[in-house]
Amino acid sequence: MTTHLTRIKARLSIHAHRKVRGLLEGEYAAIHVGRGIDFNDLREYVRGDDVKDIDWKASARSRQVLIKRYVAERKHTVMLCVSTGRSMAAMNDAAVSKRELAVLVSGLMGLLAVRHGDVVGLVHGDAVRRHTGPAKGGEVHLERLLGATHDAITPGGPPADLSALLRHVVRTVRRRTILVVVSDETSLSVESADLLRRLTAQHEVLFLTLGDLDPTQPAVADRRLVDVDTAAEVPGWLRHDRVLRRELAELVGSEEQQLRRRLEQLGVVHERVHNADSAISAVFRLLERHRHARRR
């Protein structure tokens, strides 16, 4: 049953970095600011504790500095928002399946939430259809969501439409969430930017992008390449043009910088995922930047 999650957990066990282990043990920013409202107990003050938590009366009675500890409100909703248009069935800029990467990064975010005791939901879609999976807890539910994401991405499916997907989120997702957008868009339309601005007013929005394959790279220059969106074969002469390779690299780099700047202006934390080996680090950087952004 847990096909996708089994592979994700196996990759996590390989990538046993201390910070990543800490990340999976609970180090991400909550969508509700504060230390919690339910008093739990007292403990002795240690350097680095917030002085606002010191219980001065209890400290005077015991003749040692004590701080109050609270039970934080931890149950949140993480909504995975995955663009499942046919372009996601292609290879990315590292010659890796974008569908597999989309499932991987979605599974990492979902597994993190499940281990926190939070609930995970899914919104996915393309230019023709949009679907919403209810937010629930548990790995079995998460596996179903990942399976739905994987099955929705096919080379023969409708084209991607990020704006339509975000409009669907605006209409249907009423509860405050951590919204994780997974897309292969290289730029933001005016409508998509406006929709993201509306979503950031209610939700914490995180954005993960998967780049497109560069057909001029030497590693794929001798392979038969077909454009998923047009079903047209990429001409062989086009894939050996050094000038075109340089110009394409400059264009892709410029688009990525513009996308990053636009998302920063909107207050949306962004990371680009290139392959499965770096996906965990990319997710960690995303959450680390999100946590720091919340502190500013």
Side-chain angles (χ1 to χ4, degrees):
M1 178 65 184
T2 56
T3 305
H4 298 294
L5 279 181
T6 299
R7 288 198 293 266
I8 292 169
K9 289 178 180 179
R11 190 164 294 278
L12 279 174
S13 67
I14 294 172
H15 193 105
H17 191 283
R18 180 183 62 81
K19 285 189 175 181
V20 175
R21 288 201 304 269
L23 172 74
L24 293 172
E25 288 165 3
E27 298 178 3
Y28 74 91
I31 57 176
H32 301 294
V33 178
R35 294 189 293 275
I37 59 174
D38 296 327
F39 173 75
N40 187 27
D41 61 10
L42 297 168
R43 70 163 170 80
E44 189 174 353
Y45 174 86
V46 295
R47 181 175 295 181
D49 287 334
D50 193 333
V51 295
K52 294 178 182 178
D53 290 335
I54 295 176
D55 187 327
W56 295 106
K57 291 183 178 180
S59 298
R61 289 194 300 269
S62 65
R63 297 186 179 182
Q64 59 180 341
V65 181
L66 300 174
I67 67 166
K68 298 176 182 178
R69 295 202 301 180
Y70 297 88
V71 178
E73 296 178 30
R74 295 300 305 280
K75 196 154 192 173
H76 306 303
T77 301
V78 174
M79 184 63 69
L80 306 172
C81 177
V82 186
S83 175
T84 51
R86 61 176 175 244
S87 62
M88 290 286 273
M91 308 296 279
N92 79 335
D93 51 0
V96 177
S97 165
K98 287 193 283 186
R99 175 169 65 177
E100 298 303 325
L101 276 183
V103 171
L104 175 59
V105 296
S106 299
L108 289 170
M109 296 296 297
L111 185 59
L112 171 60
V114 166
R115 290 189 176 182
H116 278 165
D118 298 334
V119 295
V120 183
L122 169 69
V123 178
H124 70 83
D126 47 49
V128 175
R129 57 204 177 194
R130 268 76 60 188
H131 299 280
T132 302
K136 298 180 182 178
E139 292 187 4
V140 174
H141 174 67
L142 176 59
E143 174 65 27
R144 292 195 187 101
L145 300 184
L146 297 180
T149 300
H150 182 275
D151 295 344
I153 300 173
T154 62
D161 190 337
L162 181 60
S163 295
L165 183 59
L166 295 177
R167 282 198 304 272
H168 181 75
V169 174
V170 169
R171 289 196 307 267
T172 61
V173 180
R174 302 299 183 187
R175 185 175 181 179
R176 185 169 172 80
T177 69
I178 298 175
L179 183 68
V180 183
V181 181
V182 181
S183 171
D184 61 349
E185 294 289 336
T186 57
S187 61
L188 279 183
S189 67
V190 174
E191 183 182 9
S192 291
D194 288 342
L195 289 164
L196 283 172
R197 185 179 295 107
R198 291 180 61 182
L199 288 168
T200 56
Q202 180 181 359
H203 309 285
E204 296 291 327
V205 183
L206 293 78
F207 207 103
L208 288 156
T209 54
L210 317 174
D212 287 318
L213 176 68
D214 179 355
T216 68
Q217 289 299 316
V220 296
D222 296 324
R223 293 170 55 181
R224 180 177 180 269
L225 300 176
V226 176
D227 187 304
V228 172
D229 273 326
T230 64
E233 184 172 351
V234 180
W237 62 266
L238 192 67
R239 293 183 269 138
H240 294 84
D241 191 321
R242 294 184 178 180
V243 175
L244 179 63
R245 183 184 307 163
R246 184 182 68 252
E247 292 177 347
L248 180 60
E250 291 173 354
L251 175 62
V252 170
S254 174
E255 287 182 337
E256 184 174 353
Q257 289 180 358
Q258 291 178 14
L259 176 63
R260 188 176 296 276
R261 284 198 299 267
R262 191 72 185 98
L263 290 172
E264 287 176 353
Q265 291 170 354
L266 294 168
V268 176
V269 179
H270 166 255
E271 275 294 333
R272 193 181 187 91
V273 180
H274 295 279
N275 54 45
D277 291 335
S278 64
I280 297 174
S281 296
V283 168
F284 172 74
R285 289 194 304 271
L286 182 80
L287 294 171
E288 188 76 1
R289 292 178 58 213
H290 173 237
R291 185 185 307 115
H292 291 163
R294 288 298 303 273
R295 289 175 178 171
R296 289 199 292 269

